[in-house]
Amino acid sequence: MSFPPSLELTTTAADVLADPHRRALLAVLRDREGQTPTAATATGPAMPIADLATEVAAVERGTPIVPDAHCERLHIELIHRHVPRLVDRGVLSRDADGDDPAVSLTAHPILDLEWVESLLKDPTGDDVPVAAETLTRTLEALREPRRLIVCTELASRGGSIAVDDLAAGVLVREGEADRPADVVGSQRTAVAMELAHKHLPALAAAGLVAHDDESGRAALETDAPHWDVDWLADGPLAEAAALVRSDSTRRARPESEPSVPAQPIARDSDESGRTGTDVESCWTLEGEANVAERGDEIAAGADEELFVMAPSAVLLGSTCLENLRDAADRGVDVYVASRSPRVRDTVRAAVPTATVCEPRFDWFSFPVDAPQCGYVLLADREAAMLVTAERDVGDESVRAGAITGEGRENALVSVVRTQLGPRLDRLPTAGDETDGTPLPM
C-alpha cells in the first residue's frame, strides 16, 4: 500500500522525533547552525559527538552544569543508537570515523516542515500542555500513516463508532473503495483486526483515542490536551484538528458563563413554525407546510448522501419525489427505506438510481396500515428530522409535527446517525434486486 508523499514525510518526521534524545540532538545542531541546511549548502558545519552529548545533556536537564558520568553515558548512547538511526534516515551526515567522529545536519526535507521547526524550538516540551512522556508516546504512535488516517476518520464521524465501520472508512480514505459500502467484507475484517490489535491501542496509549476492545468501539479524545499544542495540531494531526477545532468553536460558550449542564434555549415560535430550542440544539416544527419546508431544505443541502424512511405515502408527494430526483441528479447517493410496496414502487419509478430498501427494525417505524406515520430524513449524516404525521379520516387533512437538528455534534443527528449509519454502510451504492425484492436494511 502506498501513501501520499506528504503523509510519508510526516510519519518519517514523527519517527525521527519520537525519542527525546533525538529531539534534543537535532535542536542543538539546529541552534548551533542558526538555521537548517538548504539544498544548496547540502550540510551544516560538523560537530564532534562528544561535544554534542554534553550540549544535549544540558538541554535535557535545563542547566549548563551536567555530571561527567551522565555526559559519558549519553555519548555512548548517541554513538551506538541515535546517530546511526539518524544517519540511516538521511537526517545526519557522519563526517569522521576516528577517535573523535563528528556529525552535521543534512538538507533533509523534514527539517523544512514548519511544525518540526516549532517543535525543535522547544524540544523538551516545557511550553506545551502535554507531559513529556505523553508527547513521546504521541510521536511514536504517529509513525504509522494509517494512524493519522484513523484520527481523521474518527474526527469526521463524531462520537463513538464501531471498529468495523471505522475500518471501512479508513479504507475509503486510503483509496481502496469509493464509499464504505463498496469495501469487500474480508478486507474490512482484516483491517478491523489490525486496528483493534495494533493501531487503536497505540493511539489510546498516546491519549488521542478512546478504545473499548470489549464493545468494539472507538472515539477520538476531542478534549485531549494534544489539540492545544499548535505544532501538533497544525502539523501531523492537521486534518483531524481542523474538524475538532471546528466543532469546539461551534459549541464554545462565553468564558463568563458558568460551567453547568447544557439546557435547551427556550424561544418563541417564529414565522417558520419553529419552537422549543435554539438552532444550535434541536427545534420543533408544527404544521404540514412547515415540516415540508424543512424537508425541502434538508434535501437541497445534501451533498453526498440523502436517506428517507417513509412508511406510507401520506407525505410522499410530488415535491418529495422531485427533491429525491434533484439530489440523485446532483450525484448524491439516495436511499429510501419503506415497508410499503406502494412507496417502494413509486420511488423506483420516479428515481431509478435510488437504493430502495426495507427496514428490518422497529425504530420509529409505524405499521403500514396505521393512521400515524413516522418519517426520518438524514442528509450527509449532518442534518436530521423526525416527523410524525396523522391523516384525519373525515376531511383527509394531515396533522404533522417534527423535531430537527443540524451539525455532527447535534444530539438528534448523533442519535439518528448512530442508528442508521452502520446499516447504510452495508447497503450497495445504487439500485436494488433486479426482481424488485427490496434490499434488507
Side-chain angles (χ1 to χ4, degrees):
M1 180 187 302
S2 61
F3 294 95
S6 59
L7 189 60
E8 292 188 349
L9 189 63
T10 296
T11 54
T12 296
D15 179 54
V16 166
L17 299 167
D19 188 281
H21 291 323
R22 293 199 291 270
R23 294 198 290 271
L25 182 157
L26 294 175
V28 168
L29 290 177
R30 174 187 171 281
D31 290 344
R32 183 171 183 266
E33 296 168 11
Q35 61 182 7
T36 56
T38 65
T41 60
T43 62
M47 183 177 188
I49 297 179
D51 296 344
L52 181 59
T54 300
E55 293 199 28
V56 168
V59 168
E60 293 179 342
R61 292 202 166 201
T63 174
I65 302 175
V66 181
D68 291 341
H70 179 79
C71 292
E72 182 60 29
R73 286 194 299 272
L74 184 55
H75 182 207
I76 294 172
E77 189 170 351
L78 294 184
I79 287 178
H80 294 288
R81 181 183 173 196
H82 299 298
V83 168
R85 178 71 171 272
L86 294 173
V87 170
D88 288 343
R89 280 293 194 175
V91 179
L92 289 187
S93 174
R94 187 167 180 147
D95 299 329
D97 293 320
D99 295 335
D100 192 23
V103 294
S104 59
L105 290 176
T106 68
H108 197 287
I110 70 166
L111 299 175
D112 293 328
L113 296 173
E114 291 186 9
W115 70 268
V116 171
E117 187 173 345
S118 296
L119 185 156
L120 294 181
K121 291 178 180 178
D122 179 30
T124 57
D126 293 338
D127 297 331
V128 298
V130 178
E133 184 179 350
T134 301
L135 185 62
T136 295
R137 284 200 299 267
T138 300
L139 289 167
E140 288 175 345
L142 300 182
R143 293 182 295 187
E144 294 271 359
R146 178 164 275 174
R147 293 174 189 167
L148 296 173
I149 295 173
V150 166
C151 289
T152 301
E153 178 65 14
L154 287 174
S156 71
R157 294 293 192 99
S160 172
I161 66 171
V163 174
D164 189 59
D165 295 331
L166 174 61
V170 167
L171 285 166
V172 170
R173 289 185 179 274
E174 291 177 350
E176 298 297 321
D178 291 332
R179 53 174 289 118
D182 298 333
V183 176
V184 178
S186 58
Q187 190 179 22
R188 180 199 294 251
T189 300
V191 172
M193 290 183 64
E194 181 182 282
L195 295 180
H197 297 292
K198 179 183 178 183
H199 299 305
L200 290 174
L203 291 168
L208 285 167
V209 165
H211 173 227
D212 186 346
D213 190 46
E214 184 175 344
S215 66
R217 302 185 69 83
L220 197 67
E221 292 281 18
T222 55
D223 293 329
H226 305 66
W227 310 112
D228 295 323
V229 180
D230 288 338
W231 64 259
L232 190 57
D234 295 335
L237 292 174
E239 288 190 50
L243 294 167
V244 171
R245 286 172 168 175
S246 175
D247 287 343
S248 298
T249 299
R250 192 180 71 248
R251 298 193 307 268
R253 288 179 290 191
E255 292 183 6
S256 60
E257 183 178 344
S259 179
V260 296
Q263 298 292 334
I265 303 174
R267 66 181 185 183
D268 296 331
S269 119
D270 58 23
E271 294 180 357
S272 69
R274 299 177 180 179
T275 62
T277 60
D278 185 75
V279 70
E280 291 295 332
S281 182
C282 302
W283 67 95
T284 59
L285 301 168
E286 295 181 2
E288 183 180 1
N290 292 322
V291 171
E293 181 181 356
R294 173 57 176 162
D296 295 344
E297 180 183 331
I298 291 177
D303 293 323
E304 298 179 358
E305 180 184 87
L306 177 62
F307 171 83
V308 177
M309 186 166 76
S312 80
V314 171
L315 291 181
L316 194 68
S318 59
T319 301
C320 179
L321 292 173
E322 185 177 341
N323 287 337
L324 296 176
R325 270 196 302 268
D326 289 344
D329 290 343
R330 296 196 307 271
V332 176
D333 292 330
V334 175
Y335 300 86
V336 178
S338 181
R339 291 178 175 176
S340 166
R342 177 186 172 190
V343 170
R344 296 196 297 264
D345 291 343
T346 300
V347 172
R348 286 192 189 99
V351 193
T353 59
T355 298
V356 179
C357 51
E358 182 179 10
R360 299 292 176 86
F361 54 95
D362 293 328
W363 183 73
F364 209 70
S365 182
F366 293 95
V368 173
D369 57 352
Q372 304 89 1
C373 303
Y375 291 79
V376 180
L377 277 77
L378 180 64
D380 295 333
R381 310 190 190 189
E382 293 185 348
M385 181 167 67
L386 304 184
V387 182
T388 58
E390 183 175 0
R391 185 184 296 278
D392 286 334
V393 179
D395 56 9
E396 291 297 309
S397 63
V398 176
R399 295 197 305 272
I403 181 171
T404 184
E406 193 156 355
R408 293 194 64 82
E409 294 300 320
N410 180 270
L412 178 68
V413 175
S414 296
V415 170
V416 176
R417 183 176 64 243
T418 300
Q419 291 287 336
L420 299 178
R423 297 175 185 273
L424 287 172
D425 289 340
R426 288 171 172 78
L427 288 174
T429 54
D432 56 1
E433 300 297 334
T434 56
D435 63 357
T437 303
L439 295 166
M441 182 182 183

